[in-house]
Amino acid sequence: MTRSPKIRLTAAAVVLAALAAGTAATATAGPASTSTTAACGALFDDFNYSSRTDPNFTGHDWSIRTGAGGPGIPDTWSAANVSFPVVDGQKSLQLKATTNGTTSGTTQAQVQQNRLRFFEGTYATRFKFADAPISGNDGDLVNQTFYTISPLDYDWEPTYSELDISEYLPNGGWGETGPVDFITSWNTYQEDPFDGWRKSTARRFSHNGWHTLVTVVAGGHVKYYIDGSLAADHTTDDAGHNVYPRRPMTLNYNQWFIDLSGHTGGVSTYVQSADWVYYAKNETLTPAQITSRVNNFRAAGTTHRDTISC
């Protein structure tokens, strides 16, 4: 997958900005388990918030990006693009991206967990991809994402870590002409001229609708599952560079435009939604175990729990 130097540079800048909103935490790797009960050292969020200004949202260590930079169209991040509607019967985090084909007429959205505390273990979210806008003409090169990332302290920084659990391009982009979901594990990169080491898997078909994304980081492997099926197993890139994370990361959702070349007039609005997110530190869980835990939280009326630090 080809990405511009600006995209990689600003991705690291986003992490540094997010850290300003919270205190960086240190995570220690430990042995994975296969427990079927909810263990200490986990995050669950059902996104049951009244609005983006709900004090519980920021109180639970989430922030909304409004700063400058990329990726996508620089300096177009809008807090107004984040909401918590009921989507298909469930309260959800919803991110909106809009464009009229100009930079001044474009807005993008991003939310993140602020602290560097996500490392080995199991990540999961129920995510709704969208092939078409909810209004306006289709065809924009929009990117719908769920990922983890650490700062890049300098070019080829050896502990840089990033897992693009899904980057869904419903209208193509980066050389693709149709719908594609990129799953990418990073080693490191340099900013200018851009060059990077990573392993990427491309799923070239529509992913429209709800999907459960699960990523297991354990034993030198990063295994990605979609709806219970193994989609990718990454260890090294094609040159032998290790793509297993080497340091704690932040947790992020965003929706942005690769560029504006696909726009055909008027204003187009795209949305992506997340029903819930779950992270189990240092545990190796199956997709079925994740589903069971989420169902148990909901049956108990639990909308948020954060025990990562214990």
Side-chain angles (χ1 to χ4, degrees), residues 188-223:
T188 190
Y189 70 95
Q190 71 173 21
E191 293 174 356
D192 190 18
F194 173 74
D195 191 12
W197 300 335
R198 72 276 199 194
K199 181 68 173 180
S200 190
T201 299
R203 293 161 52 93
R204 295 180 173 89
F205 53 88
S206 172
H207 288 59
N208 188 62
W210 287 104
H211 298 279
T212 300
L213 313 177
V214 174
T215 299
V216 178
V217 181
H221 289 254
V222 186
K223 296 184 178 182

Side-chain angles (χ1 to χ4, degrees), residues 70-106:
I73 313 306
D75 311 334
T76 61
W77 304 96
S78 173
N81 283 9
V82 176
S83 61
F84 296 92
V86 174
V87 181
D88 300 329
Q90 295 288 349
K91 285 280 284 186
S92 300
L93 166 68
Q94 190 167 91
L95 274 61
K96 181 170 66 175
T98 68
T99 188
N100 64 3
T102 69
T103 297
S104 62
T106 298

